[in-house]
Amino acid sequence: MDTPAPIPRALPSPIPNVPGVADPLPEALPDPSRRWLRAARFAARPQLHPWEIPVLIVVILTTVVVYAGIITLVALGMLDQLLLAALAFPLLLFVIRGLTYATPRVNGVQMTPTQFPEGYRMVVEAAARFGLEYVPDAYVVLGNGQINAFASGHGFRRFVVVYSDLFEVGGAARSPEALEFIIGHEVGHIAAGHTSYWRQLATVFGNNIPLLGSALSRAQEFSADNYGYYAKPAGAPGAIGVLAAGKYMLSAVDFDQFADRATHERGFFVHLVNAISTHPVLTWRAAALRDRTRAGAILLRPRRIVRGIGSGNVVAVPPPPHPASVPPGSLPNGLEPPPKF
């Protein structure tokens, strides 16, 4: 009797979890005590924040109304004709985007297979995962202590700029996973269409309206976080740590404790700080990255304290005490904890 042919194994993929590319089969049998969980809604393929498109429509309509109002009032002689210069903004935006692209090209270090090869690999893998047609250009620029990265475009080109401090090694605190999450986040802005010239032109006036423009920006950041999580889920805690505590102290940040404070910290001014911010406040952002079953909070703080159980799923837990709370009488010289307001 013929020996049955061995079952063919998929060749190892240099880019794991790319749609349409089979991952290699595991070499050993899985642990029978483990239970597989279906990926949570925002842990699967990246998707836009539910608020992004509705707020975008309002912002675009606002911009159109402002443009039409300027033209109408100038035509009626109720405004000075100099205000027609606002209609030159399409050209001004084109120039700004061109300058933004040219600056890293002449001052930055381009990521290539031989320069910052790890960063280049992260950009390529993120572009493949997100289904982009081309690999965006990527540059490293001098950070001078700033922790930042951004994505933009000019013409048909899209690019990512990463500040050098994100590449610095901070001893045991170094976290390549955090960098991969951040690069995935920035490439996600490109994949989600946030860097489009026409989108930026259509939102130019609405984006400058207090609360409305910042709400759209926060929704876009949550959308980009969905892409970053899809690129490197394990990098989310490190990314929050480096944004909150810096490149040397990120490993000292307890991700769960930090995310719990999104529920603990409350009050009018807490919500106001979030409402006027272009990026979600970090504690709320951490809570959203931990709980992938729901979208990030745009206006109202998260109210559930949860713990991750795998694949982006969470389970609610009894509210722990405030992280800064201490047992009565444990402080020296009769000191008491600060009063609660």
Side-chain angles (χ1 to χ4, degrees):
M1 183 175 180
D2 294 338
T3 302
I7 300 175
R9 289 180 176 269
L11 294 175
S13 168
I15 308 175
N17 301 323
V18 176
V21 178
D23 288 338
L25 296 175
E27 296 296 333
L29 294 175
D31 185 348
S33 64
R34 293 187 176 183
R35 184 168 61 92
W36 180 81
L37 291 175
R38 184 181 299 275
R41 176 184 176 187
F42 292 99
R45 288 189 59 82
Q47 53 186 293
L48 301 182
H49 190 281
W51 277 48
E52 180 176 335
I53 297 304
V55 178
L56 175 63
I57 291 173
V58 174
V59 170
I60 291 175
L61 291 176
T62 302
T63 300
V64 171
V65 169
V66 172
Y67 266 122
I70 291 175
I71 295 173
T72 301
L73 293 176
V74 170
L76 295 175
M78 300 175 65
L79 287 179
D80 192 284
Q81 292 188 358
L82 288 176
L83 284 176
L84 284 176
L87 302 182
F89 194 83
L91 177 60
L92 179 60
L93 178 61
F94 180 81
V95 172
I96 292 173
R97 286 166 61 91
L99 292 173
T100 303
Y101 182 37
T103 300
R105 290 169 61 198
V106 297
N107 292 322
V109 180
Q110 185 168 14
M111 295 187 206
T112 68
T114 55
Q115 282 192 136
F116 294 98
E118 279 301 295
Y120 178 76
R121 174 190 63 80
M122 294 173 185
V123 173
V124 171
E125 291 188 1
R129 283 192 179 93
F130 304 159
L132 296 184
E133 191 172 350
Y134 301 102
V135 177
D137 295 333
Y139 302 92
V140 178
V141 300
L142 181 62
N144 279 331
Q146 297 185 60
I147 302 296
N148 196 17
F150 67 88
S152 188
H154 178 60
F156 294 104
R157 305 300 293 268
R158 298 293 180 266
F159 63 96
V160 172
V161 174
V162 180
Y163 283 35
S164 59
D165 290 73
L166 285 172
F167 282 92
E168 291 186 12
V169 178
R174 184 173 187 268
S175 177
E177 294 83 5
L179 176 61
E180 191 160 357
F181 176 93
I182 292 170
I183 287 179
H185 172 102
E186 299 305 336
V187 177
H189 278 301
I190 296 172
H194 300 162
T195 60
S196 163
Y197 168 83
W198 297 108
R199 179 178 179 131
Q200 292 180 359
L201 180 62
T203 58
V204 59
F205 289 121
N207 266 342
N208 289 287
I209 296 177
L211 302 183
L212 177 62
S214 56
L216 174 60
S217 179
R218 293 196 304 278
Q220 292 177 164
E221 293 300 325
F222 275 129
S223 296
D225 272 355
N226 293 341
Y227 282 88
Y229 186 93
Y230 187 67
K232 196 65 175 180
I240 293 296
V242 74
L243 292 173
K247 58 181 182 268
Y248 298 119
M249 298 296 179
L250 64 104
S251 63
V253 177
D254 184 312
F255 182 68
D256 275 324
Q257 186 177 122
F258 192 85
D260 287 348
R261 288 179 49 229
T263 300
H264 285 300
E265 308 297 346
R266 61 190 70 183
F268 169 76
F269 287 104
V270 167
H271 287 84
L272 181 60
V273 167
N274 175 74
I276 63 178
S277 298
T278 57
H279 287 60
V281 291
L282 287 178
T283 49
W284 295 19
R285 194 172 176 181
L289 287 171
R290 180 175 63 183
D291 184 356
R292 307 306 296 160
T293 64
R294 59 183 64 196
I298 293 290
L299 294 178
L300 301 177
R301 63 179 175 83
R303 296 185 178 274
R304 291 199 312 163
I305 292 184
V306 298
R307 291 293 181 266
I309 56 175
S311 301
N313 295 283
V314 294
V315 59
V317 298
H322 191 283
S325 62
V326 294
S330 63
L331 296 177
N333 298 330
L335 289 175
E336 295 292 338
K340 303 297 183 184
F341 293 102

